Amino acid sequence: MVDIRALRFLGNGRSEVTEIEKPNLQEGMILVQVMSSAFCGSENKAYFSDSINLVAGVKGHEAAGIVIDEQNTQFHIGDHVVIQIMDGCGQCYFCKKGLYQFCSSLKYKSGTHAQYIVLPEKCVVAAPKDIPFDILVLLGGDTVGVAYRAVKQIDVLERKTVFVSGGGPIGLGVTTLLHYLGCTVLVSEPSAYRRDYLIKHAGAAKVLDPKNEYWKEQILDLTEGIGPEFVFECSGNPEAQIQALELVRCQGTVVFCGENYNGLSIIPSVHIIHKEVTVKGAFYFSPEDFLQIIQLYRKGLDVSSLVSHIVPLDQAPRMMEQFTQGRTGKVIIHPQE
């Protein structure tokens, strides 16, 4: 068995580049040569964990690459593809509609921080060959994919003032997309690096530091004293999620797309009922969403400035450390280099 190189998390904030066995190809599977793989904030849990179960295996779930082998699938060698990590049963109501993320038997695929990955056919989506891999990994990954899924939940009209809570990778994508759609975007983000990055590269009109005791008053001042009509909560921080419900104006809408598995203490009468607030969620995205995102890209949606660092695999451990400290924008690694 030929060994391949990969980035492996060691737990407790450490990682290394190591050699692993090249995965086996089975019926209905595709072998992809990974050309671009992006870091995602959801990987922080495994990166910092001391649990063997969480740390085990190669991580990474945002990638673009080339099909180099397949076993009786609809793909062909040489096809350019992006990775969809949602592995549904393929037979239920939602799977048949291409909404694998809602399958009750859902499994997650990962392992793109490596030179090669083997995936089921339904976890691979064909991509145009004229779009660079470093752009495809954004358009077909969480940064733009989840952002698009979140924004399409509501009818965002031009010239609306919108509040985005959290300026990490998802917040960057949401801000960029809203700016492209003509909105005035206000953002809260504790990282000084990311606050500056959101202004310069994502089109944010103003970025506030939530550690400043007067930042909520500033949001109200910028939204006619009644709060934003639309709020996108992208951090997953429980305190920030409560603040999103508090800040949104009466009859406004909050879209949650930052993951929180630890729970949230809300008072329905205070946070939702008496304000007549609409609360929505945005979970991952579908192959159909990806096709619509490609159309936006061809119409002028520019996401290239969201990437602050592109590095070869050997530099990935150092960049992962900076990424988890909030000192980068989107980070892409090139496993083949």
Side-chain angles (χ1 to χ4, degrees):
M1 180 68 67
V2 177
D3 288 338
I4 63 173
R5 299 173 72 235
L7 174 69
R8 175 175 289 169
F9 292 171
L10 304 176
N12 298 304
R14 299 174 300 119
S15 65
E16 68 175 2
V17 176
T18 186
E19 290 189 346
I20 62 173
E21 287 189 353
K22 189 173 182 179
N24 291 318
L25 192 62
Q26 300 174 356
E27 185 78 12
M29 306 286 277
I30 296 172
L31 176 63
V32 177
Q33 182 182 29
V34 180
M35 303 305 294
S36 297
S37 183
F39 289 157
C40 177
S42 64
E43 297 168 30
N44 290 4
K45 186 174 182 180
Y47 180 72
F48 287 110
S49 177
D50 58 5
S51 166
I52 294 177
N53 291 334
L54 278 178
V55 176
V58 176
K59 307 304 177 184
H61 55 263
E62 300 180 50
I66 305 170
V67 175
I68 61 171
D69 203 353
E70 48 80 27
Q71 287 290 325
N72 299 316
T73 73
Q74 297 181 22
F75 288 84
H76 301 93
I77 294 173
D79 284 351
H80 289 196
V81 296
V82 294
I83 306 305
Q84 284 271 324
I85 66 167
M86 302 295 177
D87 185 11
C89 70
Q91 302 300 319
C92 70
Y93 171 83
F94 291 110
C95 284
K96 289 179 179 179
K97 292 175 68 71
L99 299 170
Y100 303 115
Q101 67 266 42
F102 302 136
C103 177
S104 60
S105 301
L106 179 66
K107 298 177 182 178
Y108 297 94
K109 297 297 182 183
S110 65
T112 64
H113 295 335
Q115 292 179 308
Y116 301 91
I117 184 172
V118 166
L119 293 160
E121 179 180 14
K122 61 179 175 289
C123 294
V124 178
V125 180
K129 287 189 175 182
D130 64 314
I131 301 178
F133 292 113
D134 289 344
I135 297 296
L136 285 175
V137 75
L138 300 175
L139 301 178
D142 291 16
T143 298
V144 181
V146 174
Y148 180 76
R149 188 80 184 177
V151 171
K152 72 183 290 187
Q153 300 296 318
I154 58 179
D155 182 19
V156 178
L157 302 177
E158 287 191 13
R159 294 180 295 279
K160 289 287 186 179
T161 298
V162 183
F163 173 51
V164 175
S165 171
I170 302 299
L172 275 172
V174 170
T175 301
T176 300
L177 189 53
L178 289 170
H179 173 69
Y180 171 76
L181 294 173
C183 296
T184 299
V185 189
L186 312 175
V187 188
S188 67
E189 168 54 45
S191 164
Y193 178 96
R194 285 180 172 164
R195 288 198 300 273
D196 182 63
Y197 202 86
L198 283 153
I199 293 288
K200 292 181 178 178
H201 301 292
K206 191 172 186 63
V207 185
L208 305 170
D209 183 355
K211 292 178 290 186
N212 182 321
E213 62 177 316
Y214 299 111
W215 76 275
K216 294 180 188 178
E217 287 81 356
Q218 290 178 282
I219 290 288
L220 291 175
D221 289 343
L222 292 166
T223 53
E224 305 173 88
I226 56 176
E229 183 177 358
F230 300 117
V231 176
F232 292 85
E233 208 305 299
C234 303
S235 73
N237 181 289
E239 183 179 358
Q241 291 179 329
I242 289 292
Q243 290 169 347
L245 292 168
E246 293 172 344
L247 283 168
V248 69
R249 71 176 58 173
C250 293
Q251 297 188 316
T253 301
V254 178
V255 180
F256 288 105
C257 48
E259 297 280 9
N260 171 13
Y261 291 98
N262 297 319
L264 189 66
S265 296
I266 68 170
I267 304 172
S269 290
V270 173
H271 294 121
I272 300 173
I273 297 173
H274 291 190
K275 295 177 68 175
E276 294 188 357
V277 170
T278 299
V279 179
K280 293 194 173 186
F283 180 41
Y284 203 60
F285 55 100
S286 68
E288 182 181 352
D289 290 332
F290 173 64
L291 296 179
Q292 294 169 1
I293 292 167
I294 292 294
Q295 292 177 1
L296 285 180
Y297 172 78
R298 297 207 184 281
K299 291 178 181 177
L301 175 63
D302 182 9
V303 296
S304 59
S305 62
L306 299 183
V307 180
S308 62
H309 298 80
I310 300 174
V311 298
L313 191 59
D314 286 338
Q315 295 182 27
R318 177 177 62 85
M319 289 311 309
M320 188 64 193
E321 182 179 351
Q322 293 187 31
F323 175 76
T324 58
Q325 294 173 357
R327 295 191 284 128
T328 73
K330 196 67 174 177
V331 175
I332 294 175
I333 59 175
H334 286 173
Q336 304 302 322
E337 295 179 6

